[in-house]
Amino acid sequence: QSVLTQPPSVSAAPGQKVTISCAGSGSNIGRDYVSWYQQLPGAAPKVLIYDTYKRPSGIPDRFSGSKSGTSATLGITGLQAGDEAVYYCGTWDSSLSGWVFGGGTTVTVL
Amino acid sequence: QVLLVQSGAEVKRPGSSVRVSCKASGGTFSSSPISWVRQAPGQGLQWMGRIIPIVDKPDYAQIFQGRVTITADKSTTTVYMQLSSLRSDDTGVYYCARQGEWQEFKNWGQGTLVTVSS
């Protein structure tokens, strides 16, 4: 049971948009930076978004992050076959004094 | 660019310990937190703990307290994670990851598969 709640899966056709939600609480998302990670099959995770909405260099602007209250959202526009992966949200939890992740969301391109 | 290279796969008996290394090259080793993240087969990511080498005072996830030890060797720019009293559900891939300014997991090692089996 993850501290952050994500939908298990989302899907859309190529070129379409998907959004992935990440629900937390006042001790984590409500008070700290959120980051998002993409994990392709057999690979280590890669950071897509940090500080809730910033993208590292090399990450296309098709990926976006936002936050409202105790929930965060990752958006992917112009969906491509190469976007098929598992996506995780993560942040620091002050009550647990530790980093917490969502359970992961599998994105399928139809 | 920071590169993190981890030690190879391990097979361990229940009740034993495992130590995984993570050698960093490039970037500023001493001042950046390095965390360990576990991924059980087919499961999500689980943070185990972290260390800032220059501070040398690790933080551990509550669930691993008492079983995990994270150390750093500044002379070799290597971070170690030791997990003791291994159980079958400790089987998984263990990643080291360097954290950035916003605490994001910026650079990841390639992962080390630890298999716990009798």
Side-chain angles (χ1 to χ4, degrees):
Chain A
Q1 195 80 1
S2 302
V3 173
L4 305 180
T5 302
Q6 298 180 231
S9 63
V10 297
S11 61
Q16 298 299 302
K17 175 181 178 177
V18 295
T19 59
I20 300 171
S21 60
C22 175
S25 69
S27 64
N28 43 64
I29 292 178
R31 59 176 295 163
D32 219 315
Y33 317 118
V34 178
S35 50
W36 289 90
Y37 302 87
Q38 176 194 62
Q39 187 174 32
L40 296 169
K46 178 176 79 171
V47 61
L48 292 177
I49 299 289
Y50 67 98
D51 188 17
T52 304
Y53 63 92
K54 295 176 181 173
R55 283 176 286 105
S57 61
I59 301 300
D61 59 6
R62 300 188 299 107
F63 295 92
S64 64
S66 63
K67 184 175 90 167
S68 178
T70 59
S71 290
T73 301
L74 174 71
I76 311 174
T77 59
L79 206 59
Q80 302 174 0
D83 297 333
E84 285 203 330
V86 181
Y87 294 80
Y88 295 94
C89 57
T91 188
W92 182 262
D93 189 294
S94 59
S95 294
L96 297 173
S97 294
W99 193 273
V100 293
F101 291 99
T105 299
T106 300
V107 170
T108 301
V109 181
L110 300 172
Chain B
Q1 181 67 303
V2 174
L3 184 64
L4 301 176
V5 178
Q6 299 181 221
S7 50
E10 302 263 12
V11 179
K12 293 292 182 179
R13 298 293 190 201
S16 67
S17 298
V18 67
R19 190 174 85 151
V20 181
S21 67
C22 171
K23 180 167 176 59
S25 58
T28 50
F29 172 77
S30 289
S31 59
S32 300
I34 292 187
S35 279
W36 288 90
V37 177
R38 180 172 82 177
Q39 188 168 38
Q43 302 299 310
L45 306 175
Q46 185 176 32
W47 183 76
M48 300 179 70
R50 67 181 176 186
I51 191 167
I52 304 174
I54 199 171
V55 177
D56 206 20
K57 189 167 182 259
D59 296 316
Y60 300 125
Q62 292 173 6
I63 194 171
F64 291 104
Q65 282 277 3
R67 283 210 303 145
V68 68
T69 304
I70 298 174
T71 56
D73 184 338
K74 292 188 286 293
S75 67
T76 60
T77 63
T78 301
V79 174
Y80 299 91
M81 185 282 298
Q82 179 165 312
L83 188 63
S84 61
S85 303
L86 289 170
R87 309 182 292 252
S88 58
D89 62 359
D90 289 317
T91 293
V93 176
Y94 290 73
Y95 293 101
C96 63
R98 185 182 77 104
Q99 293 181 254
E101 181 183 353
W102 303 100
Q103 300 305 304
E104 78 279 14
F105 298 101
K106 194 170 183 177
N107 309 102
W108 293 73
Q110 82 276 21
T112 297
L113 175 62
V114 175
T115 303
V116 183
S117 173
S118 54

